[in-house]
Amino acid sequence: MGKALDGVKILDFTHVQSGPTCTQLLAWFGADVIKVEREGVGDITRGQLRDVPDADSLYFTMLNHNKRSITIDAKHPKGKEVLEKLVRECDVLVENFAPGALDRMGFTWERIQELNPKMIVASIKGFGPGPYQDCKVYENVAQCAGGAASTTGFDDGPPLVTGAQIGDSGTGLHLALGIVTALYQRKTTGRGQKVNAAMQDGVLNLCRVKLRDQQRLDRTHVLEEYPQYPNGHFGEAVPRAGNASGGGQPGWILKCKGWETDPNAYIYFITQAPVWKQICNVIGREEWLTDPRYATPKARLPHLTEIFDEIEKWTMTKSKFEAMEILNKYDIPCGPILSMKEIAEEPSLRKTGTVVEVDHPTRGKYLTVGNPIKLSDSPTEVKRSPLLGEHTDEIMKELGYTDAQIRELHEAKVI
Ligand code: CAO
């Protein structure tokens, strides 16, 4: 079966996590992704956090599936010639260098347009135009500057970053959508365009509901679904809401049987209004149904802590999976706190290709997260990441270089 992006050629100048996430997605949808790496060095993540000596790290392998690797010294005149050929051949150039690095290499937007007016140039930077536009940025900087850290954690603790890589992988996902949109628009305009995704913007987009709450707080000086209500203090900015659900359906993380020794024996419990009756019945608090302090969602808001304490008395008598089974029967929305170990071993995730085992020539078998987006006509087959420069000769031949020229460029360490 063909793939959705068959025929699309990507010149992949990305490194570390944000850009590689984007191009990996495009590769999974069938694009030919040619990853350009520095001769002899490669993407810095190949050697970072290694668990197998001399083998590409999981950091690298898990972000660079289904790509081809070519090594080129982009600052050598002969290397630039190779790159110019690639610019002419490809549909999209994706990069996440520090601000200005691509220009310093000589590949300005104007130069790329001269070489290939149809080329789409997609970039991730830490910040958009403004006071921080020249800054180098990593994941947690973006989480802090995008509003995630100030709104994550507990009221009495410091700002917290989250384990979800919303700055890197989140922005990569945003950029991928920008690229396919630009490819679609090119069908009618015949022209390429610039696609920019700033990590601060990507994080803020994912924190949209907190900007919603900021404006509600400005107007009403209170956020009734936050744990600070009714006894705590609201300042000028949206506070950290602990494990509150952040929506119109109050929720919290509750202990389950075994919590004393298992750090993940917890369940997320949502007191959705339509199933309030079922919740009261399950935990044996039928009197709440008629008590005016608990009868309506609005009346319950000042009592949420007490309500969750009562529900927790029930969840503590069940394992998280037993609680799930009982609550699901009544359509009560809840979710077990799953450890990475449990996720890695979950058979249903293996079955859907969300968790995939891949074999690699130097590191052996490892698990990775497959494509989370499933297209019925373009199924994803996860192929191992390339070794450094594995496809250099193959790609050079496709560009029309002879064996003798390729040998010469190898000897000069240009490729
Ligand atoms: N041949 C020759 N030179 C190459 C090359 C190649 N194939 N590939 C890269 N280089 C050069 C670049 O041209 C650059 O040179 P100059 O500084 O002289 O212009 C140099 O390598 C370093 O590139 P960099 O500044 O992008 O890399 P860094 O490790 O110093 O910074 C990072 C990394 C991620 C902080 C920075 O790239 C960045 O801010 N990127 C944008 C935001 C982003 O994507 N961050 C998320 C990263 S994932 O957590």
Side-chain angles (χ1 to χ4, degrees):
M1 194 185 288
K3 295 277 155 58
L5 294 182
D6 273 347
V8 174
K9 276 188 127 167
I10 311 277
L11 179 51
D12 180 9
F13 241 141
T14 67
H15 64 158
V16 201
Q17 185 182 162
S18 63
T21 324
C22 165
T23 50
Q24 177 169 263
L25 277 169
L26 301 173
W28 279 338
F29 290 133
D32 178 13
V33 175
I34 299 171
K35 180 161 176 120
V36 178
E37 295 178 82
R38 215 186 311 201
E39 205 281 320
V41 184
D43 187 323
I44 195 167
T45 60
R46 284 189 187 266
Q48 283 180 341
L49 313 176
R50 272 191 173 148
D51 58 322
V52 177
D54 302 325
D56 286 335
S57 70
L58 286 166
Y59 197 9
F60 178 85
T61 55
M62 291 177 73
L63 285 160
N64 289 285
H65 293 105
N66 297 50
K67 303 180 187 179
R68 298 197 285 167
S69 165
I70 179 171
T71 50
I72 306 176
D73 179 352
K75 290 187 174 157
H76 191 287
K78 291 229 156 69
K80 279 197 189 24
E81 274 175 31
V82 180
L83 275 169
E84 288 189 358
K85 282 185 198 285
L86 279 167
V87 169
R88 286 198 175 91
E89 291 275 313
C90 290
D91 299 283
V92 188
L93 185 157
V94 192
E95 63 93 19
N96 68 309
F97 290 127
L102 194 65
D103 288 358
R104 286 194 290 278
M105 263 180 209
F107 289 96
T108 59
W109 167 244
E110 291 72 24
R111 178 68 188 133
I112 293 169
Q113 284 284 286
E114 266 170 31
L115 295 166
N116 179 0
K118 290 182 78 180
M119 171 144 275
I120 290 157
V121 179
S123 302
I124 290 179
K125 298 288 166 259
F127 293 92
Y132 303 126
Q133 64 190 26
D134 295 326
C135 296
K136 287 186 174 183
V137 167
Y138 283 103
E139 171 69 46
N140 289 342
V141 176
Q143 287 197 25
C144 293
S150 69
T151 53
T152 302
F154 286 86
D155 205 17
D156 56 357
L160 267 193
V161 294
T162 152
Q165 304 285 283
I166 56 177
D168 279 338
S169 290
T171 309
L173 198 48
H174 282 90
L175 192 74
L177 177 60
I179 290 169
V180 290
T181 307
L183 281 167
Y184 187 76
Q185 192 171 21
R186 195 178 73 170
K187 278 181 185 292
T188 48
T189 63
R191 282 188 290 117
Q193 61 182 300
K194 286 186 269 187
V195 180
N196 293 317
M199 293 167 72
Q200 181 186 37
D201 301 4
V203 171
L204 178 58
N205 185 34
L206 300 175
C207 289
R208 179 171 295 261
V209 297
K210 297 295 177 181
L211 185 57
R212 172 200 70 191
D213 291 348
Q214 181 62 49
Q215 295 171 84
R216 292 170 59 223
L217 182 67
D218 289 342
R219 196 180 301 275
T220 63
H221 311 292
V222 69
L223 296 166
E224 290 181 351
E225 76 284 15
Y226 274 54
Q228 288 79 0
Y229 179 76
N231 302 319
H233 166 76
F234 284 96
E236 288 192 338
V238 171
R240 295 187 261 288
N243 288 317
S245 73
Q249 318 291 343
W252 200 255
I253 287 183
L254 305 179
K255 289 171 184 156
C256 289
K257 196 155 88 186
W259 67 273
E260 299 90 338
T261 49
D262 176 356
N264 296 304
Y266 289 84
I267 192 164
Y268 200 91
F269 195 106
I270 297 176
T271 57
Q272 193 204 14
V275 289
W276 179 243
K277 182 168 183 279
Q278 289 84 325
I279 292 170
C280 296
N281 288 336
V282 166
I283 66 162
R285 296 302 302 256
E286 288 83 357
E287 71 276 16
W288 279 356
L289 291 170
T290 46
D291 186 330
R293 286 175 303 161
Y294 305 99
T296 67
K298 176 98 180 135
R300 289 195 284 277
L301 285 174
H303 309 295
L304 286 178
T305 309
E306 173 201 335
I307 288 171
F308 284 122
D309 284 349
E310 283 303 305
I311 300 174
E312 192 171 58
K313 283 184 193 155
W314 179 82
T315 56
M316 280 166 73
T317 66
K318 310 274 178 283
S319 77
K320 62 188 174 189
F321 297 114
E322 286 165 355
M324 275 294 286
E325 214 176 308
I326 296 166
L327 297 169
N328 274 333
K329 269 193 223 141
Y330 300 101
D331 274 345
I332 299 168
C334 54
I337 308 305
L338 294 181
S339 69
M340 269 301 151
K341 186 168 165 49
E342 286 165 333
I343 289 170
E345 291 165 359
E346 171 57 44
S348 65
L349 293 174
R350 299 287 183 99
K351 222 170 160 188
T352 56
T354 297
V355 175
V356 186
E357 190 176 76
V358 184
D359 205 359
H360 186 277
T362 54
R363 65 169 305 114
K365 290 197 165 63
Y366 66 94
L367 285 185
T368 194
V369 185
N371 193 345
I373 307 163
K374 323 286 189 205
L375 266 63
S376 61
D377 280 357
S378 185
T380 296
E381 186 195 338
V382 178
K383 295 186 196 146
R384 72 162 173 87
S385 59
L387 301 174
L388 179 61
E390 186 174 345
H391 305 95
T392 301
D393 291 4
E394 177 184 300
I395 295 165
M396 291 297 282
K397 281 186 192 152
E398 286 169 12
L399 292 173
Y401 285 87
T402 64
D403 287 338
Q405 287 170 320
I406 294 171
R407 211 175 314 119
E408 204 178 298
L409 289 171
H410 273 304
E411 278 161 15
K413 296 204 174 308
V414 173
I415 57 172

